[in-house]
């Protein structure tokens, strides 16, 4: 737990430039949201590229579950909505308050990789309030889950 908290704090340093400038050519950038594995719930990662490719990786919880990977393509307006959320909350300069988590408390990580391969990453435990971070996580989830049927959403633990 301590190592996770230290990693979160070291990654949380904001950049000196605005998010739109950091991204560069959106077609070559990507946004990734990871939910950590916690007791009874496997982790899940959603990666959205600027050209509309989505990859969802569900990590198993326990021996009975299997890892699931699902890929899909988004229309440009959906891709733009994901990047608009990141830009609207200026993710590159977003500051996550210092905080600690409880055992088995889920955490989220958001990664923004720009057109030249540089990555800005920030993480937080769910009970730590950071409205901008939470809006980005919600926006990525909302855009992607509307393209999944109810059974697949349940399998991927996406609501």
């Amino acid at each position: 737990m301590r190592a996770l908290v230290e990693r979160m704090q070291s990654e949380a340093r904001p950049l000196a430039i605005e998010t739109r400038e950091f991204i560069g050519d959106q077609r070559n950038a990507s946004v990734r949201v990871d939910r950590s594995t916690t007791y009874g719930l496997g982790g899940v990662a959603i990666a959205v590229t600027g050209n509309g490719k989505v990859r969802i990786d569900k990590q198993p919880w326990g021996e009975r579950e299997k890892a699931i990977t699902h890929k899909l393509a988004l229309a440009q307006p959906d891709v733009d909505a994901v990047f608009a959320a990141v830009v609207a909350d200026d993710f590159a300069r977003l500051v996550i308050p210092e905080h600690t988590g409880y055992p088995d408390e889920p955490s989220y990580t958001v990664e923004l990789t720009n057109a030249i391969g540089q990555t800005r990453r920030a993480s937080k435990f769910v009970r730590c309030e950071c409205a901008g971070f939470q809006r980005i996580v919600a926006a990525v989830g909302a855009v992607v889950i509307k393209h999944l049927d109810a059974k697949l959403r349940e399998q991927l633990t996406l609501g």
Side-chain angles (χ1 to χ4, degrees), residues 27-28 30 32 39 43 51 55 63 92:
R27 294 170 299 179
N28 298 318
S30 66
R32 179 181 169 107
Y39 186 81
N51 63 9
R55 180 182 172 122
E63 297 173 10

Side-chain angles (χ1 to χ4, degrees), residues 45-58:
I46 302 170
V48 178
T49 65
N51 63 9
K53 294 179 183 175
V54 176
R55 180 182 172 122
I56 305 167
D57 291 304
K58 165 71 172 73

Side-chain angles (χ1 to χ4, degrees), residues 91-148:
F91 179 71
R93 298 191 298 184
L94 190 68
V95 176
I96 306 292
E98 277 194 40
H99 65 288
T100 57
Y102 292 118
D104 289 322
E105 180 180 1
S107 66
Y108 284 87
T109 299
V110 174
E111 290 182 359
L112 174 62
T113 302
N114 67 13
I116 61 171
Q118 298 169 320
T119 298
R120 197 307 171 135
R121 180 181 298 112
S123 302
K124 74 172 205 64
F125 288 101
V126 294
R127 69 180 172 80
C128 172
E129 291 297 322
C130 183
F133 186 96
Q134 290 160 222
R135 281 190 295 269
I136 293 167
V137 170
V140 172
V143 165
V144 171
I145 66 171
K146 72 181 184 179
H147 297 281
L148 307 173

Side-chain angles (χ1 to χ4, degrees), residues 43-79:
V44 67
I46 302 170
V48 178
T49 65
N51 63 9
K53 294 179 183 175
V54 176
R55 180 182 172 122
I56 305 167
D57 291 304
K58 165 71 172 73
Q59 294 83 34
W61 168 253
E63 297 173 10
R64 293 184 183 181
E65 287 188 3
K66 294 183 180 177
I68 300 170
T69 296
H70 182 75
K71 296 179 182 179
L72 61 108
L74 296 178
Q76 196 59 48
D78 287 332
V79 175

Side-chain angles (χ1 to χ4, degrees), residues 3 19-20 26 36 40 70-71 76 80 82 87 90 101 112 136 139-140 148 156-157:
T19 301
R20 169 66 15 230
Q26 177 181 303
S36 64
H70 182 75
K71 296 179 182 179
Q76 196 59 48
D80 292 343
V82 167
V87 170
D90 201 7
L112 174 62
I136 293 167
V140 172
L148 307 173
L156 296 169
T157 64

